[in-house]
Each structure stands twice: as structure tokens, then as C-alpha cells.
């Protein structure tokens, strides 16, 4: 496994992060085995959210990692307040909600602190200063070490960069979604804010899953990107590994958050950083296989 410092946090994170949202609901024994195997193979960053499985995902992660808590980095998210029905939720980025929600996450995760606490979304109409104040209070209390946001909205990202001490942004980035390259990555690099890239496989499309469209990409563009990924999958590297390497190649990206449910998916993700990496020329040729796409909203 390879490691990189996450922005200005000082946290050394594995280049592959375990995306816990994909864990099979209710199968604790197998999930625990998979999580511990991931750790043994070098993954130390595990990402979850209070929203996933209505808190059960955090419970699973906390129980499995409790014996090795000091050796791993746990990131979770806040901002979606579950309704009493346990199935739907409302957006709530207020100070009071965040200060209350963190207590529940700490209990579920069986820990005294969260390494990286992330706002799970965000709009330009949010009480942003109030949200930031909540995170800063939690830092002062020692309940979180660092905070960031999970967002693909350039206008929201700019405000947090300007007004807060965030250390990371979780955002979608892949061959089929290069929107962050122009609107976000330069700003984040300038301010030493790390990117946690999700969606590097584009919902499984890049490794070969059929699809008629993805974001604003049509079938022709998807086919070209998939074929290019295949063409550059050399030295025993699979298309999935190549797609992950593409996301990791950009210097703004600290880690790729990969959804993992099976041992095979785990091994594929780890192999992506163990196989020969894409050269700069390979990266540029893959990137040039289809036109760049751009954000059209929340600018």
C-alpha cells in the first residue's frame, strides 16, 4: 500500500480508502472479516456516514475496528437528519444538530474521537458560518481531529475554502467525470486541501458494466472511454485498476474512496496501487479520449 498526507492535516492516509457504504447490510461477521483483512493489507482510511443504513454502518465499522482503533483513520459524515420513519431524512447543517449528531456517531463507532468529520453535502443557502463554528467547537473539545466536506458544488466549496479550516473535500472524479479539474482542483491545491476521490469506477461502467448514459456523457463517449481504459490496461493491470489509477494520478487527489463489498473487490482496489502505475503520457491520452465535461450548476 502507498500513503499520502491528506492536505494540511498531517494525517497519513492510504491511497485506497475503504468505502463502507457498500458493506452488505446485516452480515456483520463477513463485514468484520473484510474490514480487518483490508487493514492487514494496508488500508488505514475507512469512510462511513451516519446516514448509511440509518447508523448501522457506523456500528459495524466501530465494532470491527475497536481492537485496532489507534492504528486506523475513521471518517464519517453528518448533515442528514433521519426522520422518525427511519427511511427518509432532511438536510440539517445547523450547529445544534451537528453538536448532537456527533455524540451518536461516537457511540456507534465506539470511539472517543473521529479523525475526519465531514459535512455530508451542503448548499450555498446553508448557515455556513454556523456549520463551521460547530466543527471548530468539536475540534476544541477533542471529539474530532479534522473536518472537511463532501460536495461537488463549486460555489459551496469556494465558501468553505475561504471561510473555514477544512483539510479535505470528498468529490466525484473519474475519466467520465473530470468536472473538478478546472473548477475545483487548482483552488484546493493552492490551499493544501486534499481530495478524497469517489466514483473512480463510474458506477462500474469503466470496468465494463453497460450503460447508455452517465452524467452528460452519451453512449459514444462512454464507449470511447471504456475502450481507452482497456487499451491502457497493461502489465497485468485490469480496467478497474486502470480506472482507479487514473483518479489517483491527479496531484490534487490524496486517496480514492472505493466501495468494497467482497474480497475480490478489496484485492482489485489494493492491486491498483501495487501494479505499475500509469505514466503521465498514459494519463493524458486517456483523459484526451473524450471531451472534458464541466459543472453546469452551483457555479
Amino acid at each position: 500500500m502507498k500513503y499520502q498526507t491528506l492536505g494540511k492535516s498531517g494525517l497519513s492516509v492510504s491511497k485506497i480508502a475503504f468505502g463502507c457504504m457498500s458493506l452488505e447490510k446485516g452480515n456483520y461477521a463477513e463485514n468484520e472479516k473484510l474490514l480487518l483483512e483490508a487493514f492487514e493489507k494496508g488500508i488505514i482510511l475507512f469512510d462511513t456516514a451516519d446516514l448509511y443504513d440509518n447508523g448501522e454502518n457506523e456500528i459495524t465499522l466501530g465494532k470491527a475496528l475497536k481492537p485496532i482503533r489507534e492504528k486506523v483513520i475513521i471518517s464519517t459524515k453528518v448533515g442528514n437528519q433521519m426522520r422518525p420513519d427511519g427511511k427518509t431524512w432532511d438536510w440539517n447543517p445547523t450547529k445544534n444538530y451537528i453538536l448532537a449528531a456527533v455524540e451518536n456517531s461516537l457511540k456507534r463507532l465506539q470511539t472517543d474521537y473521529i479523525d475526519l468529520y465531514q459535512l455530508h453535502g451542503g448548499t450555498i443557502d446553508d448557515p455556513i458560518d454556523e456549520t463551521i463554528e460547530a466543527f471548530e467547537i468539536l475540534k476544541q473539545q477533542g471529539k474530532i481531529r479534522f473536518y472537511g466536506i463532501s460536495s461537488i458544488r463549486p460555489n459551496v466549496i469556494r465558501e468553505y475554502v475561504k471561510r473555514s479550516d477544512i483539510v479535505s473535500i470528498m468529490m466525484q472524479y473519474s475519466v467520465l467525470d473530470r468536472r473538478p479539474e478546472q473548477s475545483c482542483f487548482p483552488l484546493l491545491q493552492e490551499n493544501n486541501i486534499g481530495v478524497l476521490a469517489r466514483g473512480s469506477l463510474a458506477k462500474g461502467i469503466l470496468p465494463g458494466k453497460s450503460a447508455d448514459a452517465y452524467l452528460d456523457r452519451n453512449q459514444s463517449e462512454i464507449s470511447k472511454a471504456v475502450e481507452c481504459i482497456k487499451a491502457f490496461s497493461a502489465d497485468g493491470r485490469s480496467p478497474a485498476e486502470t480506472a482507479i489509477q487514473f483518479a489517483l494520478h491527479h496531484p490534487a487527489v490524496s486517496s480514492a474512496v472505493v466501495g468494497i463489498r467482497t474480497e475480490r473487490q478489496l484485492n482489485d482496489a489494493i492491486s491498483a496501487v501495487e501494479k505499475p502505475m500509469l505514466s503521465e503520457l498514459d494519463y493524458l491520452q486517456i483523459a484526451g479520449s473524450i471531451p472534458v465535461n464541466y459543472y453546469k450548476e452551483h457555479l
Side-chain angles (χ1 to χ4, degrees), residues 85-268:
D85 62 12
K87 298 178 181 178
T88 56
W89 56 87
D90 297 301
W91 177 239
N92 190 348
T94 63
K95 172 184 172 181
N96 288 340
Y97 177 67
I98 292 171
L99 295 180
V102 74
E103 300 297 337
N104 294 323
S105 285
L106 289 168
K107 289 177 183 177
R108 289 190 291 262
L109 290 165
Q110 298 188 49
T111 183
D112 296 325
Y113 66 94
I114 293 165
D115 297 288
L116 179 64
Y117 205 33
Q118 302 165 95
L119 185 67
H120 202 175
T123 77
I124 201 65
D125 297 319
D126 290 345
I128 294 176
D129 288 331
E130 182 180 326
T131 302
I132 294 169
E133 182 185 1
F135 284 127
E136 288 293 341
I137 289 172
L138 293 177
K139 276 184 65 178
Q140 293 169 9
Q141 294 175 340
K143 293 177 181 178
I144 67 173
R145 297 176 67 190
F146 302 98
Y147 64 95
I149 64 173
S150 176
S151 176
I152 60 170
R153 298 185 175 193
N155 58 354
V156 172
I157 290 171
R158 283 196 301 271
E159 289 305 308
Y160 275 90
V161 171
K162 183 193 311 181
R163 295 152 70 173
S164 78
D165 195 30
I166 57 170
V167 301
S168 66
I169 301 284
M170 181 177 290
M171 60 194 318
Q172 193 165 283
Y173 180 58
S174 72
V175 182
L176 290 173
D177 187 1
R178 294 174 54 210
R179 295 175 298 175
E181 290 181 0
Q182 302 298 323
S183 60
C184 298
F185 282 178
L187 175 66
L188 300 178
Q189 288 178 275
E190 180 182 342
N191 289 273
N192 196 17
I193 295 170
V195 172
L196 300 175
R198 61 178 179 84
S200 57
L201 301 180
K203 296 184 177 179
I205 294 171
L206 293 172
K209 183 179 178 180
S210 62
D212 294 327
Y214 181 77
L215 298 177
D216 56 351
R217 301 295 193 182
N218 57 38
Q219 181 61 63
S220 175
E221 289 179 336
I222 291 173
S223 297
K224 288 179 181 178
V226 170
E227 288 304 313
C228 194
I229 287 286
K230 287 182 181 178
F232 283 91
S233 295
D235 300 314
R237 190 173 57 230
S238 71
E241 292 161 356
T242 301
I244 293 171
Q245 285 191 11
F246 179 90
L248 287 172
H249 188 90
H250 198 287
V253 176
S254 301
S255 182
V257 182
V258 182
I260 298 172
R261 181 188 291 255
T262 67
E263 185 174 12
R264 179 176 178 178
Q265 290 173 340
L266 170 63
N267 291 332
D268 285 346

Side-chain angles (χ1 to χ4, degrees), residues 18-42:
F18 195 120
C20 297
M21 183 176 69
S22 296
L23 290 173
E24 185 177 354
K25 185 176 180 179
N27 194 351
Y28 175 74
E30 287 301 314
N31 289 337
E32 178 186 42
K33 178 182 176 182
L34 194 62
L35 288 163
L36 294 178
E37 182 179 352
F39 171 73
E40 292 297 327
K41 293 181 175 179

